[in-house]
């Protein structure tokens, strides 16, 4: 800043002489207050994360025979006692509807794993068309086994 | 800087949570930061607020400081950013004048000069004001100042030259006295 001593001197004369009295205390008080305000959201977020983690662990560690994810389709008014019977169909109530839903769906019924093909995919997968879902028993009874009525 | 190296131990204590160390650091830097804030903003009424905001930020983010010997440089970086942030906010009316230890006569004599210099600084382009402020502060060399401002050393010198030229023009009547 030694380029123009006259200007430099003028600027230094015009500069505020010092920090106001009690400046250090006011800085420390403001810093403590800001730190307190920052600690509470951080603690709340920590507690929320711990709850999410605990719930996640419970889901992962629950017995294998409990389904994970959305509840399985609930069979209502069955017209056949079991999906093992390839000749019979049974009604099933699905948890949601819509053009994009249920193109494929996995579920369990009477202890058997089932795969359902929705109307949007029936022609491509099975070569047949229709408004209902077609279900397969995965395993020994694999193959078209039943018609599913969407209610 | 030698002073920065001497200060590194105090900075380490402050990082460990010592308020006494913080008080020492604040008292060592408060005057320089208030003057720098004034030169960066051209507003003596909010200079202490900008300096306080800077020190509070430093208090909260001390763990991010990588080199304790560069505490002073780090503070100045925070201050320039704080002042830039404030510049984007709508201006507030100046509060009551802070206590000034000078006599009423000195205050009267200096008031006109203060007003003229403040107005001249505020009239500068922000980038020129920042360059001038860092040069007046004298804590950083031109390479460090350019680095802090995010420009080349040549650009820093050009901005500083423009700032001085403009101030000389606007403050001519005071410089002739």
């Amino acid at each position: 800043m030694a380029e123009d001593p006259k200007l430099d001197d003028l600027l230094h004369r015009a500069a505020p002489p010092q920090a106001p009295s009690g400046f250090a205390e006011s800085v420390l008080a403001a810093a403590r207050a800001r730190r307190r305000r920052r600690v509470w959201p951080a603690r709340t977020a920590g507690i929320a994360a711990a709850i999410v983690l605990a719930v996640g662990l419970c889901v992962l560690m629950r017995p294998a025979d409990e389904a994970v994810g959305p509840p399985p389709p609930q069979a209502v008014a069955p017209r056949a006692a079991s999906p093992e019977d390839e000749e019979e169909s049974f009604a099933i109530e699905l948890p949601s509807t819509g053009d994009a839903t249920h193109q494929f769906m996995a579920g369990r019924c009477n202890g058997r794993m089932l795969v359902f093909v929705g109307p949007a995919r029936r022609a491509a997968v099975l070569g047949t068309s229709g408004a209902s879902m077609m279900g397969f028993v995965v395993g020994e009874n694999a193959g078209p086994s039943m018609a599913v009525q969407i209610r | 800087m030698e002073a920065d190296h001497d200060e590194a131990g105090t900075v380490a204590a402050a990082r460990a949570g010592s308020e006494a160390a913080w008080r020492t650091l604040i008292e060592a830097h408060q005057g320089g930061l208030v003057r720098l804030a004034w030169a960066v903003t051209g507003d003596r009424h909010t200079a202490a607020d900008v300096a306080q905001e800077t020190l509070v930020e430093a208090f909260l983010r001390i763990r991010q400081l990588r080199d304790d010997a560069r505490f002073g440089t780090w503070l100045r970086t925070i201050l320039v950013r704080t002042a830039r942030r404030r510049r984007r906010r709508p201006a507030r009316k100046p509060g009551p004048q802070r206590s000034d230890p000078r006599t009423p006569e000195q205050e009267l004599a200096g008031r006109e000069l203060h007003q003229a210099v403040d107005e001249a600084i505020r009239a500068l382009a922000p980038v020129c004001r920042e360059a001038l402020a860092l040069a007046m502060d004298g804590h950083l060399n031109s390479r460090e100042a350019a680095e802090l401002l995010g420009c080349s050393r040549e650009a820093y010198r050009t901005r500083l030259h423009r700032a001085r030229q403009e101030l000389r023009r606007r403050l001519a009547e005071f410089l002739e006295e």
Side-chain angles (χ1 to χ4, degrees):
Chain A
M1 200 55 196
E3 203 175 89
D4 187 340
K6 253 183 141 177
L7 177 64
D8 294 349
D9 177 59
L10 185 74
L11 292 174
H12 281 118
R13 272 195 290 136
Q18 60 181 38
S21 59
F23 183 78
E25 279 314 314
S26 67
V27 168
L28 287 171
R32 284 190 218 107
R34 281 269 301 273
R35 190 166 56 187
R36 273 199 299 275
R37 283 204 298 273
R38 280 165 59 142
V39 163
W40 277 109
R43 279 191 186 156
T44 308
I47 291 167
I51 290 170
V52 168
L53 190 64
V55 170
L57 282 173
C58 287
V59 168
L60 285 174
M61 294 176 72
R62 67 180 172 172
D65 60 346
E66 288 182 37
V68 175
Q74 184 187 354
V76 293
R79 279 175 268 151
S82 158
E84 291 171 24
D85 186 343
E86 292 184 14
E87 299 304 316
E88 295 292 339
S89 63
F90 63 95
I92 191 162
E93 189 173 66
L94 297 170
S96 61
T97 58
D99 291 342
T101 58
H102 307 141
Q103 294 195 9
F104 293 99
M105 188 171 151
R108 198 163 37 212
C109 187
N110 294 340
R112 301 277 178 159
M113 182 61 78
L114 307 175
V115 173
F116 298 97
V117 181
R121 292 287 173 186
R122 270 182 62 169
V125 175
L126 304 173
T128 62
S129 60
S132 61
M133 297 185 85
M134 289 297 292
F136 296 82
V137 175
V138 178
E140 62 215 41
N141 290 327
S145 60
M146 68 214 75
V148 178
Q149 179 185 340
I150 302 174
R151 290 186 175 178
Chain B
M1 275 198 178
E2 191 60 37
D4 283 351
H5 287 290
D6 293 344
E7 187 172 77
T10 315
V11 174
R15 183 189 287 110
S18 163
E19 281 212 1
W22 267 113
R23 198 167 281 108
T24 304
L25 290 172
I26 293 167
E27 283 166 2
H29 288 277
Q30 59 187 17
L33 290 179
V34 169
R35 282 190 292 275
L36 178 62
W38 163 71
V40 169
T41 60
D43 184 350
R44 68 186 60 241
H45 305 298
T46 59
D49 293 342
V50 173
Q52 174 171 318
E53 213 173 315
T54 300
L55 286 161
V56 169
E57 282 289 316
F59 183 96
L60 297 172
R61 292 163 42 193
I62 186 72
R63 286 174 200 283
Q64 294 173 17
L65 174 62
R66 287 185 221 137
D67 182 357
D68 289 357
R70 289 174 59 81
F71 181 73
T73 305
W74 185 61
L75 281 181
R76 282 154 179 80
T77 307
I78 296 174
L79 188 142
V80 169
R81 286 180 189 159
T82 303
R84 285 176 181 169
R85 260 201 320 270
R86 276 185 166 241
R87 209 158 50 217
R88 289 193 287 266
R89 288 186 216 156
R92 283 186 297 182
K93 283 184 180 173
Q97 291 252 3
R98 292 182 189 274
S99 61
D100 193 326
R102 289 175 296 180
T103 63
E105 290 78 18
Q106 285 172 320
E107 272 194 63
L108 276 172
R111 195 170 293 161
E112 198 185 350
L113 172 68
H114 289 172
Q115 197 175 345
V117 173
D118 287 8
E119 282 172 7
I121 289 177
R122 277 200 300 273
L124 296 172
V127 290
C128 294
R129 211 156 56 205
E130 289 174 357
L132 176 81
L134 290 175
M136 280 174 64
D137 176 53
H139 187 87
L140 309 178
N141 61 36
S142 60
R143 183 187 56 77
E144 291 169 325
E147 196 178 313
L148 190 158
L149 297 177
C151 64
S152 67
R153 213 192 296 194
E154 290 68 32
Y156 166 72
R157 284 182 182 146
T158 305
R159 292 172 187 183
L160 185 55
H161 177 72
R162 277 191 200 147
R164 281 183 168 137
Q165 205 172 26
E166 182 65 17
L167 288 184
R168 269 195 294 268
R169 192 181 65 78
R170 286 181 175 267
L171 299 170
E173 67 173 290
F174 294 95
L175 290 167
E176 283 161 10
E177 282 172 5

